[in-house]
Amino acid sequence: MAMVMDLDYFSDFNYSAIDSTTTTTTTTESTDEGCNWINDWSPVVDWESLSGVQDDFQELIDSMMDENATLHDQEYNKSSPEYNMSTDDEKETGSDGSGGATDDVKGLRLIHLLMAAAEALTGVNKCRELARVILVRLKEMVTPNDGTNMERLAAYFTDALQALLDGGGKPFHGGAVTEHHQSDVLAAFQLLQDMSPYVKFGHFTANQAILEAVTHDRRVHIVDYDIMEGIQWASLMQALVSKKDGPPGPHLRITAVSRGGNGRRTFGTVQETGRRLTAFAASIGQPFSFHQCRLDADETFRPSSLKLVRGEALVINCMLHLPHFSYRAPDSIASFLSGAKTLNPRLITLVEEEMGPPSEGGFVGRFMESLHHFSAVYDSLEAGFPMQDRARALVERVFLGPRITGSLAHIYLARGNEEGYPWGQWLGAVGFRPVNISFANHCQSKLLLGLYNDGYRVEVMNTNKIVLGWKSRRLLSASIWTSQDSDL
């Protein structure tokens, strides 16, 4: 069986239709820490098996883009929040190259104003008029299209607070597809993959665990909670068909969960994803079928709506709140995972955003936690988009802006109590068993990060959980689980 990722393959691979420059580091022996086994590892893991097939994979990307494809420091353990809200480059030189002192002072002022606005909106001495005045001042100081990381980030948080003030915290289900032209969404998605490991980290970790769990199965059925553009499964298919020996790969069936009503993942868009994946599978010789399962209007999952076949290895795949994903309500996630438990799946792969635990500070505490989190994301993208302001701005406008607005809206509605819920911990509490992250999977993640800026890091936690971080800030985690009755 093949390893999901091939180092040479991804060094040369280019997702983006936009000319961009990437800051990368070379993976060294010290970085790999014993992972230099690409050429002599067990036959189960073959790092060279994907060489030469990048044209096939690119065809899937191209089919998504169609004729509209063209574009239409210090570590984070310092105590002061304003220090955590700017990049190392900004601290040293400033955005105009004249020195970082002015930027630091302005960044501190922006943070104080944002905190004051959040407090005025929800605190004990709530005053909506004061919040409105503060937001007007913030809008005079920042714009999402220009300035330092902190200034652009503050602009999006200002817009999110303004939306809360104007709408009273009405539920927000926004996402890139509903806010922007599809060609912009796809271009931003490609850039995000080019310039950061966020997408590939979750996909490759989950896929490698799936490959290891279904080695001897003839039929595999994956139920995907949010399939998005389906890119995750293209790399899995390539790994399945690239085996050099042994029996042929299994038949792969994917059931994509789609939202009811007018949500982002409508029946039609999921159907189009299925069409692309079916065509891609046929082009590489992977036996494949695609189905849909629609959530109820309140986003409740009914296990009985799934079509199950005896003898299939059932895998549950759940990607949550990644930078390019739309928001999913906790009740919907709990319904899906609870329903999945009744199906006794072979494997559950969970990738989720790493946020701090619920704060006693209510909305303001969660607001500051969110500000810290997205500051680290901005910092990492700055390192991945050197001298590419337009490219970075597209990713921020299409994905991060809506994510910030949606996240704060739900924090506001819950007054900070429901956000940051650790779903991996929840899976353990309801009876799922952890599955160890394999040595191969851990090393794959380290080698992936070697293709990007050296600020990224990876750590294994609790044997079944691997975390992607930027400097000392944890951003994403992937955890692997199985049913109590499984033989894994």
Side-chain angles (χ1 to χ4, degrees):
M1 182 178 298
M3 175 69 83
V4 174
M5 191 193 91
D6 179 84
L7 186 61
D8 295 332
Y9 169 70
F10 281 97
S11 296
D12 298 330
F13 187 76
N14 180 19
Y15 282 83
S16 179
I18 301 173
D19 184 21
S20 57
T21 304
T22 308
T23 298
T24 63
T25 59
T26 303
T27 305
T28 63
E29 293 183 5
S30 61
T31 301
D32 294 348
E33 296 179 1
C35 294
N36 296 316
W37 37 261
I38 299 176
N39 295 321
D40 56 4
W41 183 242
S42 161
V44 175
V45 179
D46 183 356
W47 277 69
E48 297 180 347
S49 59
L50 297 184
S51 298
V53 298
Q54 51 265 57
D55 290 340
D56 290 330
F57 195 59
Q58 186 66 48
E59 287 176 5
L60 181 64
I61 302 290
D62 292 341
S63 70
M64 293 167 53
M65 296 294 289
D66 59 47
E67 68 274 8
N68 295 317
T70 304
L71 181 62
H72 190 86
D73 135 31
Q74 297 288 329
E75 306 239 326
Y76 277 72
N77 58 359
K78 304 298 182 182
S79 58
S80 60
E82 67 277 5
Y83 198 94
N84 294 334
M85 299 301 164
S86 59
T87 67
D88 290 337
D89 290 340
E90 288 169 6
K91 295 182 186 95
E92 293 172 1
T93 63
S95 61
D96 60 357
S98 61
T102 301
D103 288 340
D104 285 345
V105 171
K106 185 175 182 179
L108 175 61
R109 187 179 183 189
L110 290 173
I111 293 168
H112 287 171
L113 286 173
L114 287 169
M115 290 180 63
E119 182 69 29
L121 194 60
T122 63
V124 176
N125 300 315
K126 182 167 61 176
C127 179
R128 296 177 67 85
E129 285 306 312
L130 175 59
R132 195 178 304 278
V133 170
I134 295 172
L135 292 176
V136 168
R137 180 67 185 114
L138 280 165
K139 288 181 179 181
E140 293 173 349
M141 298 174 65
V142 293
T143 171
N145 302 318
D146 193 20
T148 65
N149 276 354
M150 184 60 229
E151 290 167 4
R152 300 192 314 277
L153 183 65
Y156 281 114
F157 270 84
T158 297
D159 290 344
L161 289 173
Q162 186 69 56
L164 296 182
L165 183 62
D166 295 340
K170 294 179 181 178
F172 178 86
H173 300 290
V177 169
T178 59
E179 297 287 333
H180 303 285
H181 193 280
Q182 184 69 2
S183 63
D184 282 352
V185 174
L186 293 174
F189 176 71
Q190 289 188 23
L191 282 166
L192 187 63
Q193 291 207 109
D194 269 344
M195 300 301 185
S196 77
Y198 295 127
V199 178
K200 296 188 183 88
F201 171 80
H203 287 179
F204 292 166
T205 303
N207 286 358
Q208 182 63 28
I210 293 170
L211 287 172
E212 294 167 358
V214 302
T215 302
H216 303 295
D217 289 281
R218 304 303 307 130
R219 300 184 66 87
V220 178
H221 182 190
I222 298 173
V223 180
D224 193 344
Y225 182 60
D226 198 348
I227 196 167
M228 297 293 289
E229 291 79 14
I231 294 298
Q232 176 179 358
W233 307 124
S235 62
L236 179 67
M237 290 180 199
Q238 287 188 322
L240 289 173
V241 301
S242 65
K243 294 169 57 176
K244 293 181 179 179
D245 49 28
H251 178 278
L252 177 63
R253 184 157 68 99
I254 292 178
T255 296
V257 175
S258 59
R259 282 180 164 182
N262 297 318
R264 176 178 179 183
R265 294 286 91 190
T266 62
F267 190 88
T269 55
V270 172
Q271 189 174 40
E272 177 61 20
T273 294
R275 184 196 64 77
R276 289 194 301 264
L277 286 176
T278 300
F280 179 75
S283 72
I284 63 173
Q286 169 63 48
F288 178 74
S289 58
F290 184 87
H291 301 276
Q292 286 198 60
C293 171
R294 182 176 293 187
L295 297 176
D296 291 341
D298 61 354
E299 295 199 14
T300 298
F301 173 67
R302 288 181 291 109
S304 60
S305 63
L306 284 178
K307 178 184 177 183
L308 300 179
V309 177
R310 186 181 299 274
E312 287 183 329
L314 181 63
V315 175
I316 304 296
N317 186 71
C318 194
M319 301 270 167
L320 299 175
H321 305 158
L322 274 64
H324 62 300
F325 274 44
S326 56
Y327 185 88
R328 288 296 179 97
D331 287 346
S332 176
I333 299 169
S335 172
F336 177 73
L337 295 176
S338 296
K341 187 173 186 294
T342 68
L343 303 174
N344 293 317
R346 171 79 60 80
L347 198 72
I348 302 93
T349 53
L350 174 69
V351 178
E352 59 182 324
E353 193 175 49
E354 280 285 301
M355 300 288 280
S359 170
E360 296 181 357
F363 175 79
V364 176
R366 293 303 297 163
F367 176 88
M368 287 304 299
E369 171 65 20
S370 183
L371 190 60
H372 277 263
H373 176 84
F374 282 102
S375 173
V377 174
Y378 268 57
D379 189 359
S380 67
L381 291 180
E382 176 85 25
F385 288 82
M387 309 304 293
Q388 293 289 328
D389 293 344
R390 289 183 60 205
R392 187 176 64 248
L394 180 65
V395 173
E396 293 171 359
R397 173 169 55 86
V398 171
F399 293 137
L400 300 184
R403 280 286 294 117
I404 290 169
T405 299
S407 178
L408 290 192
H410 289 280
I411 293 173
Y412 180 83
L413 288 172
R415 291 301 186 264
N417 294 322
E418 74 174 24
E419 295 299 314
Y421 197 92
W423 289 106
Q425 181 179 330
W426 187 91
L427 287 175
V430 300
F432 286 104
R433 287 194 295 110
V435 176
N436 289 351
I437 296 286
S438 70
F439 176 76
N441 214 339
H442 184 199
C443 287
Q444 175 180 252
S445 297
K446 285 191 171 185
L447 290 167
L448 171 65
L449 297 195
L451 303 177
Y452 297 94
N453 187 278
D454 59 6
Y456 291 106
R457 62 186 180 86
V458 63
E459 59 179 314
V460 174
M461 302 174 61
N462 304 329
T463 71
N464 76 315
K465 178 179 178 180
I466 190 166
V467 178
L468 171 67
W470 172 254
K471 300 181 180 176
S472 65
R473 179 81 191 190
R474 294 169 180 165
L475 298 178
L476 297 175
S477 68
S479 58
I480 313 300
W481 304 83
T482 189
S483 302
Q484 286 289 352
D485 298 333
S486 172
D487 57 0
L488 281 183

